[in-house]
Amino acid sequence: MVKNGRPLWQAPWQFRESALVCCGIAAAGFALQAVIGPFDFFFLHWPGNLFILALLCIGIALGACYGKTSFSRWLSSLPLALCLIGALLFFSLIMGFTPQAGGAGPGDARLLARLGLTRVTSAWPFILLYAFTLVSLGMTIVRRFFNFSLRDYVFYLNHIGLWVVLAAAGLGAADVQRLVMHVREGETEWRVYGQGGAVLELPLAVTLKDFAMEEYPPKLAVINMQTGRPQPEGKPLFLPISASGPEALRGRLGVWEVSLESYIHEAIKKGEDYVPSPMPVSTPAALVKARNTLSGEIKRGWVCSGGSVPEFFSGLSLDGTLLLVMTRPEPRRYLSDIVVLTQDGDKIEHRLEVNKPLRVGFWNLYQYSYDSKAGKASAYSSIELVYDPWLYPVYAGVAIMLAGGVCLVWAGAGAGRARS
Amino acid sequence: MTWDTFIWFALFSAVCWLCAGGLAFQPKKAAAVNALMLAGLLGMGVFIAGFWVELGRPPLRTMGETRLWYGFFLAAAGYATYRRWKYPWLLLFPSLIACVFVGINLVRPEIHSASLMPALQSVYFIPHVTVYILSYAILGVATAAALIRLAGGGRKNSAALYAVMDNSVYIGFGFLLLGMLSGALWAKDAWGHYWSWDPKETWAFITAVAYLLYIHLRLRYKDGTFALWLLPAAFVLLLIAWIGVSYLPAAQGSTHIYS
């Protein structure tokens, strides 16, 4: 704790001074926010951010090497680290409880918006404390290197990893671009709508050869014809159809025992029947038999959700009010077969899927959306393009921190004891 | 191997793990604990391998299939952590949760085939969720230890109680870190950016920062009650991140809510 009798602001600075400095920085941030509005990330665009990074590194190195002063000691001290972590907790809690990314709202939200707290990550107090954290964390790491000990490996991994991630992600934030491109099947696109509706031309062109969607086999359910609600109400029963074969389905929906006679995953309606056909509009259909276990009555017929074609719908009437139906199939995969052409003349063929982006230089391409009304028959695919030249440094930091996390699990509280 | 034969493997593994978790509290039963844990893991592993061969694809497609892996990895990671740290609860907790996953697959077979939406079909899914579950269980132990101390317990042996708190916070925080970073890598592949301050991400961050505060606080201020109070408080934040986010008005736009 603070030594009794030491006047405020007399070296060595401890917890009181650290807390006051952090509050002062936050107050200065709020003042800036009130006067000039939110932080403008324009200053952090390439190569400005590289310049700031170089300045930061040189500053930290000089401060650590030449500053044997109590001030530079304080910058890398534990009380300051505690205050900065506390400040980070305070601002992240505000982020957690206040809807973010909003402008000025009605009522008291207006005050929050004026203080920048509806968009904390571009509010001056947050930015200033983030920058101060980078300085303090950097000084702490460099100072520790002067007393290098391998026993501190957990400290090095976690702190260096965190510094690299914070520096690269923070300084690189302004360079990140996220754009959405809509490409029609068989066509090539290189233009996107940027913010404000301006058309941007990209350094790569995308040809969509085919968009396809795979679906899970749907479920069977009994609904009330009048209300449309699945039965029994409140706790409806669903009978999943397995893709492995008709014999896989034999189950009960209430008093009805249902068995599957045949199942067509991609069917179209032809007259009163359903036939297999791999067309964009085709949808699952099943020939089912339902037996009333009380009366022994048997019903037999086709069920189909219709997919994107309402005329394909078919249900099996069980009695005056109950109808055996098939649920709409849920999507299993979205697939865009694309060809990407770069300015260097490279041609990359790729099957774009959710969770399987394509990396081209600093660009990442993602399966983003499609014409949800047309479903499988969608004639276009929306592809998100994300540009992030700082991704590799961030990943380097993440890799170091992953190692740090494993070491924490291994070393336990010993990681802390090695340090103190 | 199919779901029809699952019951034999499931019962075998669950009984092994539960017995091992119970025996871990008995001194001098280490050999039996090791044998039982490994036998349970082997049983589950054989089933997963056989199921994989039977299906002709990795069993990662439906919820029921992913629950198999949770059970397996939770037991495996819990066992590895137990071997390192020798805390019996560190074996019992993950074993219990693993058995819950196995039990769900046994008792509610109809949800075996519940389909997995495209955004969840990723190699990160299982490790991401498994390490978080482990982390939450271990941080729960730290909270319990802090509450015991706050209630006036463990006065004679407070050093040992503090050691349990510190150790479990460090280990739990390590797993928390692994969960968060694997989540970031996954988010880059699924949503386009590794960190978007989505409400779930924000709350995961809040939780991590709260435990970070505890770790740094304990480096110097050894006897403060503030650190003791910080642990239950941090656990409340953890619960908000885990369960509460879906109910927060500030989080209604979250892409992390799967219903």
Side-chain angles (χ1 to χ4, degrees):
Chain A
M1 293 289 161
V2 181
K3 264 187 246 161
N4 280 335
R6 182 179 57 81
L8 195 64
W9 304 118
Q10 182 184 306
W13 287 4
Q14 292 290 332
F15 192 76
R16 277 184 304 177
E17 289 84 357
S18 306
L20 286 170
V21 169
C22 287
C23 289
I25 290 175
F30 281 123
L32 273 170
Q33 183 82 18
V35 177
I36 59 174
F39 178 78
D40 190 347
F41 277 90
F42 174 79
F43 298 110
L44 284 186
H45 275 299
W46 183 269
N49 42 15
L50 190 69
F51 180 70
I52 294 173
L53 180 66
L55 222 59
L56 193 64
C57 290
I58 294 169
I60 289 169
L62 285 179
C65 294
Y66 293 102
K68 290 244 154 109
T69 61
S70 49
F71 179 71
S72 92
R73 269 175 209 285
W74 168 74
L75 273 178
S76 57
S77 72
L78 186 66
L80 179 60
L82 280 170
C83 291
L84 284 170
I85 296 169
L88 213 56
L89 185 61
F90 173 76
F91 280 101
S92 56
L93 274 170
I94 289 177
M95 249 190 278
F97 281 115
T98 318
Q100 291 294 298
D108 60 348
R110 230 176 288 159
L111 176 69
L112 286 173
R114 282 268 289 284
L115 290 171
L117 298 180
T118 51
R119 201 184 278 254
V120 170
T121 49
S122 47
W124 276 102
F126 181 81
I127 303 275
L128 292 180
L129 284 165
Y130 191 107
F132 193 41
T133 304
L134 274 179
V135 173
S136 169
L137 183 59
M139 294 278 287
T140 311
I141 296 165
V142 176
R143 278 270 304 277
R144 185 60 67 94
F145 265 112
F146 289 144
N147 304 310
F148 184 80
S149 161
L150 264 184
R151 280 172 55 211
D152 288 344
Y153 67 104
V154 188
F155 168 90
Y156 288 117
L157 288 173
N158 282 313
H159 289 77
I160 293 173
L162 180 63
W163 193 88
V164 173
V165 168
L166 286 181
L171 289 168
D175 287 334
V176 174
Q177 288 185 62
R178 303 186 69 158
L179 308 159
V180 177
M181 174 191 269
H182 309 282
V183 200
R184 299 190 69 81
E185 276 179 326
E187 292 183 4
T188 301
E189 188 59 91
W190 61 93
R191 296 153 304 182
V192 293
Y193 290 103
Q195 279 158 348
V199 176
L200 301 173
E201 295 201 358
L202 296 179
L204 35 88
V206 179
T207 307
L208 179 64
K209 295 204 310 201
D210 185 34
F211 171 78
M213 188 173 148
E214 285 181 10
E215 294 166 326
Y216 285 106
K219 302 181 184 89
L220 299 179
V222 175
I223 61 165
N224 181 314
M225 260 187 264
Q226 262 101 50
T227 61
R229 294 210 187 98
Q231 303 294 311
E233 271 188 49
K235 208 185 167 191
L237 288 171
F238 293 96
L239 212 57
I241 296 173
S242 161
S244 45
E247 70 281 358
L249 184 105
R250 177 176 289 278
R252 290 176 70 160
L253 289 168
V255 298
W256 294 91
E257 192 182 65
V258 180
S259 58
L260 202 61
E261 295 203 348
S262 71
Y263 172 72
I264 309 171
H265 193 58
E266 289 185 296
I268 57 166
K269 196 174 187 183
K270 213 168 189 183
E272 286 308 302
D273 273 343
Y274 290 82
V275 292
S277 172
M279 300 224 305
V281 294
S282 54
T283 187
L287 185 60
V288 292
K289 196 165 82 179
R291 192 176 74 89
N292 189 318
T293 48
L294 298 179
S295 65
E297 188 186 357
I298 289 179
K299 301 270 182 181
R300 186 172 170 276
W302 285 98
V303 289
C304 175
S305 73
S308 57
V309 185
E311 291 76 26
F312 282 6
F313 174 82
S314 181
L316 179 63
S317 174
L318 298 175
D319 58 26
T321 49
L322 297 179
L323 188 70
L324 181 66
V325 294
M326 181 180 267
T327 60
R328 271 176 171 266
E330 290 170 70
R332 170 187 281 167
R333 295 162 84 191
Y334 306 105
L335 309 156
S336 291
D337 277 321
I338 57 167
V339 181
V340 177
L341 269 172
T342 67
Q343 279 181 329
D344 301 335
D346 288 337
K347 198 172 163 187
I348 305 150
E349 291 203 28
H350 187 79
R351 171 171 277 189
L352 219 50
E353 270 188 70
V354 176
N355 270 316
K356 286 175 188 159
L358 168 67
R359 191 162 297 168
V360 184
F362 291 138
W363 289 91
N364 270 12
L365 279 70
Y366 296 87
Q367 174 64 47
Y368 183 72
S369 186
Y370 64 105
D371 182 353
S372 56
K373 276 196 196 124
K376 274 173 65 183
S378 173
Y380 71 83
S381 179
S382 301
I383 292 165
E384 185 176 30
L385 296 108
V386 181
Y387 175 75
D388 186 0
W390 293 77
L391 186 64
Y392 291 102
V394 171
Y395 272 13
V398 167
I400 299 171
M401 276 176 91
L402 277 172
V406 173
C407 292
L408 261 179
V409 172
W410 176 254
R417 276 194 293 279
R419 301 159 56 181
S420 46
Chain B
M1 252 163 255
T2 64
W3 286 121
D4 293 332
T5 43
F6 178 59
I7 181 158
W8 306 112
F9 290 91
L11 286 178
F12 172 75
S13 294
V15 168
C16 283
W17 291 338
L18 287 181
C19 289
L23 280 177
F25 286 88
Q26 310 259 330
K28 295 177 189 168
K29 294 276 196 231
V33 171
N34 289 334
L36 282 167
M37 271 322 280
L38 290 172
L41 284 170
L42 187 70
M44 192 54 66
V46 166
F47 177 77
I48 293 175
F51 196 39
W52 189 329
V53 172
E54 175 83 24
L55 290 171
R57 59 169 173 84
L60 271 170
R61 192 168 286 172
T62 66
M63 290 296 189
E65 289 166 11
T66 54
R67 261 194 298 273
L68 280 177
W69 293 95
Y70 285 159
F72 181 80
F73 276 121
L74 263 171
Y79 177 57
T81 324
Y82 163 76
R83 283 298 296 269
R84 171 70 179 92
W85 290 106
K86 306 283 189 283
Y87 294 128
W89 50 264
L90 211 41
L91 190 67
L92 185 61
F93 256 32
S95 292
L96 277 175
I97 307 171
C99 289
V100 168
F101 282 124
V102 170
I104 293 174
N105 271 358
L106 275 180
V107 180
R108 303 218 20 217
E110 74 271 23
I111 46 178
H112 277 334
S113 49
S115 37
L116 207 54
M117 56 191 286
L120 293 182
Q121 298 167 18
S122 162
V123 289
Y124 293 111
F125 185 23
I126 308 278
H128 175 66
V129 182
T130 309
V131 292
Y132 261 124
I133 291 174
L134 265 178
S135 156
Y136 290 176
I138 295 168
L139 292 171
V141 170
T143 312
L147 289 176
I148 290 171
R149 187 76 194 90
L150 281 170
R155 211 166 280 145
K156 279 183 193 155
N157 204 1
S158 74
L161 207 52
Y162 273 113
V164 169
M165 267 182 261
D166 288 352
N167 240 350
S168 42
V169 169
Y170 273 79
I171 300 165
F173 184 77
F175 280 122
L176 203 66
L177 212 55
L178 295 176
M180 204 154 76
L181 295 168
S182 62
L185 295 174
W186 185 4
K188 180 67 194 170
D189 276 2
W191 297 332
H193 202 47
Y194 47 82
W195 199 266
S196 317
W197 295 106
D198 178 85
K200 191 89 169 179
E201 291 173 355
T202 304
W203 279 96
F205 182 79
I206 291 170
T207 308
V209 174
Y211 283 106
L212 199 63
L213 191 61
Y214 173 88
I215 287 175
H216 286 82
L217 204 61
R218 289 278 298 151
L219 289 177
R220 183 167 305 176
Y221 306 107
K222 292 288 183 194
D223 50 356
T225 41
F226 181 71
L228 284 179
W229 279 109
L230 193 53
L231 283 184
F235 199 70
V236 170
L237 299 175
L238 181 155
L239 288 176
I240 296 178
W242 184 13
I243 303 161
V245 165
S246 319
Y247 305 101
L248 279 181
Q252 287 317 303
S254 174
T255 44
H256 230 107
I257 294 169
Y258 304 105
S259 51

